[in-house]
Amino acid sequence: MFLLGVSDHVMIAHSFSDPFFGPATRMHGATYSVEIEIRAKALGPHHVVMDIGALHASLRRVLDTIDYTNLDEHPAFPGRTSTTERVAEHVAGLLAEEIARLPADEAPCSGATLRVLVRESPTAYAGFERDL
Ligand SMILES: Nc1nc2c(c(=O)[nH]1)N=C([C@H](O)[C@H](O)COP(=O)(O)OP(=O)(O)OP(=O)(O)O)CN2
């Protein structure tokens, strides 16, 4: 299995409606480090999973949609539900759409998978995996 990964970060504000989260029901900010990885069983015609720069640019385009925003107001997280897990799921969905738009010779091979890890602190992360 071949692996290709890039990372970036994003700054957001949010709060949770669920009392489960205690003090985090109050508005707070977070800087998420976002790491993505594509796993592919075969390389493309250029002997890569896909171009690193193209993957980095795709991730940046996705993160731009939430960077410096209040996730409480984002339709992807109704009812103030922007847990790190949900953020990872959301980023993975948008990235899959970005990658699906690539020309065939620039896209990962058929059957490739995507993993998104969102680190909310140096000691904690959540993630989401899906097929591409
Ligand atoms: N599985 C998840 N658990 C928690 C998330 C999350 O997104 N996914 N988020 C938070 C808070 O937003 C924040 O990141 C941490 O808040 P805090 O109150 O400090 O929670 P901790 O569990 O880390 O600390 P305790 O003091 O032990 O409650 C919380 N959990």
Side-chain angles (χ1 to χ4, degrees):
M1 189 69 76
F2 296 98
L3 309 176
L4 178 69
V6 299
S7 63
D8 203 336
H9 68 278
V10 67
M11 301 176 80
I12 58 91
H14 67 166
S15 63
F16 296 116
S17 55
D18 188 338
F20 171 82
F21 292 101
T25 56
R26 297 196 294 269
M27 180 63 72
H28 58 283
T31 300
Y32 293 136
S33 174
V34 181
E35 299 172 18
I36 63 172
E37 184 176 277
I38 294 179
R39 298 176 184 203
K41 286 185 181 157
L43 299 180
H46 307 294
H47 301 271
V48 295
V49 173
M50 68 173 280
D51 181 62
I52 288 173
L55 186 58
H56 228 143
S58 295
L59 176 59
R60 188 63 250 166
R61 277 195 295 278
V62 166
L63 295 183
D64 277 344
T65 67
I66 57 172
D67 212 359
Y68 297 98
T69 68
N70 178 356
L71 297 185
D72 295 357
E73 298 166 355
H74 196 294
F77 312 106
R80 297 195 288 135
T81 52
S82 58
T83 59
T84 313
E85 289 90 332
R86 289 292 185 200
V87 171
E89 177 188 34
H90 178 64
V91 167
L94 294 181
L95 262 174
E97 290 174 12
E98 285 274 341
I99 290 168
R101 282 194 283 269
L102 292 172
D105 73 322
E106 293 178 21
C109 71
S110 159
T113 62
L114 169 66
R115 182 171 80 147
V116 175
L117 283 188
V118 177
R119 296 186 186 276
E120 66 156 56
S121 79
T123 58
Y125 66 87
F128 188 80
E129 292 187 348
R130 57 165 288 161
D131 294 333
L132 286 173

